[in-house]
Amino acid sequence: MKDIFRVANKKLKSRLIVGTGKYKNFRETAKAVEASGADMVTVAVRRVNILDKKKPILTDYLNPKKIIFLPNTAGCFNSSDALRTLRLAREMGGWKLVKLEVLGDKKTLYPNMIETIKSTKILTKEGFKVMVYCTDDPLLAKKLEDNGAAAIMPLASPIGSGLGLQNKVNISMIIKQSKVPVIVDAGIGTASDATVAMELGCDGVLINSAIAMAKKPILMAKAFRDAVTSGRNSYLAGRMQKNYIASPSSPTKGLI
Amino acid sequence: MAKIQLNGKKITINSKSSIQDLLKRYNLINEKIAIELNGIIIPKIKFKKKYLKNNDKVEVVHFIGGG
């Protein structure tokens, strides 16, 4: 059986999408991305440092022709800033597949869903394919889909917290109801969290801090690559029934 | 001479400088950046003919690492 992962019009080989923030340097970023096997990475849009002409830049290490760049709106706290950021990203080189995140609070980095829904609607009308960072509320997730979201990206727990999947029930509800891919974004702490998310039936996971902040980021990137593959295979294989009594694994017939 | 604001910093440029001239001065490659002039995004094909004037506010952005 061919298991193809499609987001909007893109066919992805890996169900692991990785962020490119928080690394020690660009060399480490590039090595971790390679080890992760991801074919899509998130990137942020920021001012060019005009004072230092020779400072290395991300695109010296990651080639957008070889790996899919997913521009994000990290750091935007309202719809107009998010729209401005993504319009600039599109102008940079035609990026229409984007990740929208409109934050509502500096302490929790929780998404402002009212602004998020509003922005999704506008961006979709402008021809963007919008992958949307959101809360794990099934009703709001549905609302996003109705407004044109190309993928629903509920948080596992707050961004950068590493607290893992805090609400499996809600994530499962969102998976069941969604016709677009569901990608768990934010809060994954370690490889096994990603496996659990994939076993729930998520289409993919997005990881940044859990890899970048690991003691050995490149090894952790590899761990996530395997964890996501394992979780997906396990989901497709279908787990056994849970029973509250034991059942021997060896035949009881012919016992000596 | 004209005084403009580039990424929040005041700089002086020759009068009759285009956006393309400005990019050249900072060794910036068109493919890797996007430009906003006084809050309006300028398409790349217009860089050569878009001249800058006193008090213009220019933003030059690119991709950096992010999650």
Side-chain angles (χ1 to χ4, degrees), chain A residues 64-80:
Chain A
K65 284 182 182 128
K66 288 186 182 154
I67 191 146
I68 301 165
F69 273 28
L70 183 68
N72 72 16
T73 60
C76 292
F77 282 82
N78 57 59
S79 179
S80 64

Side-chain angles (χ1 to χ4, degrees), chain A residues 232-247:
Chain A
R232 180 64 183 174
N233 286 340
S234 171
Y235 167 74
L236 293 173
R239 62 155 296 141
M240 66 168 283
Q241 283 284 317
K242 283 182 185 175
N243 299 303
Y244 286 92
I245 47 160
S247 160

Side-chain angles (χ1 to χ4, degrees), chain A residues 19-21 42-48 50-51 53 57-60 69 71-72 84 87-88 91-92 95 208, chain B residues 6-9 25-28 31-34 36 41-44 59-67:
Chain A
T20 56
T42 57
V43 291
V45 177
R46 291 291 182 273
R47 279 175 166 171
V48 170
I50 51 162
L51 296 176
K53 293 183 194 177
I57 57 170
L58 180 72
T59 41
D60 295 337
F69 273 28
N72 72 16
R84 181 187 184 198
R87 287 169 184 152
L88 277 164
E91 189 51 39
M92 220 169 314
W95 278 271
N208 194 153
Chain B
L6 174 61
N7 284 359
K9 289 179 184 70
R25 174 170 159 184
Y26 289 97
N27 295 335
L28 296 168
E31 288 76 46
K32 294 187 173 183
I33 54 101
E36 210 182 61
I41 295 171
I42 307 297
K44 288 179 183 174
E59 291 285 342
V60 189
V61 298
H62 67 162
F63 286 135
I64 65 150

Side-chain angles (χ1 to χ4, degrees), chain A residues 7 20 49 56 59 71 125-128 139 181 185-186 190 210 239:
Chain A
V7 184
T20 56
N49 183 349
T59 41
K125 264 193 192 151
E126 289 181 16
F128 283 96
L139 293 181
D185 183 3
T190 191
R239 62 155 296 141

Side-chain angles (χ1 to χ4, degrees), chain A residues 168-236:
Chain A
K168 288 198 265 182
V169 177
N170 277 24
I171 301 285
S172 295
M173 284 180 188
I174 294 172
I175 292 166
K176 273 200 191 98
Q177 73 179 17
S178 301
K179 293 188 180 71
V180 295
V182 176
I183 297 159
V184 161
D185 183 3
I188 296 279
T190 191
S192 55
D193 293 339
T195 306
V196 174
M198 295 307 293
E199 282 180 332
L200 288 177
C202 284
D203 295 281
V205 292
L206 197 161
I207 314 289
N208 194 153
S209 303
I211 297 176
M213 303 311 285
K215 287 194 184 76
K216 295 179 180 174
I218 295 147
L219 186 58
M220 189 57 94
K222 191 174 168 291
F224 268 101
R225 182 194 69 190
D226 297 341
V228 170
T229 308
S230 284
R232 180 64 183 174
N233 286 340
S234 171
Y235 167 74
L236 293 173

Side-chain angles (χ1 to χ4, degrees), chain A residues 88-109:
Chain A
L88 277 164
R90 176 167 63 181
E91 189 51 39
M92 220 169 314
W95 278 271
K96 281 190 177 171
L97 182 61
V98 292
K99 179 190 157 186
L100 173 71
E101 60 176 87
V102 188
L103 304 173
D105 171 54
K106 281 196 172 139
K107 201 171 171 188
T108 60
L109 296 180

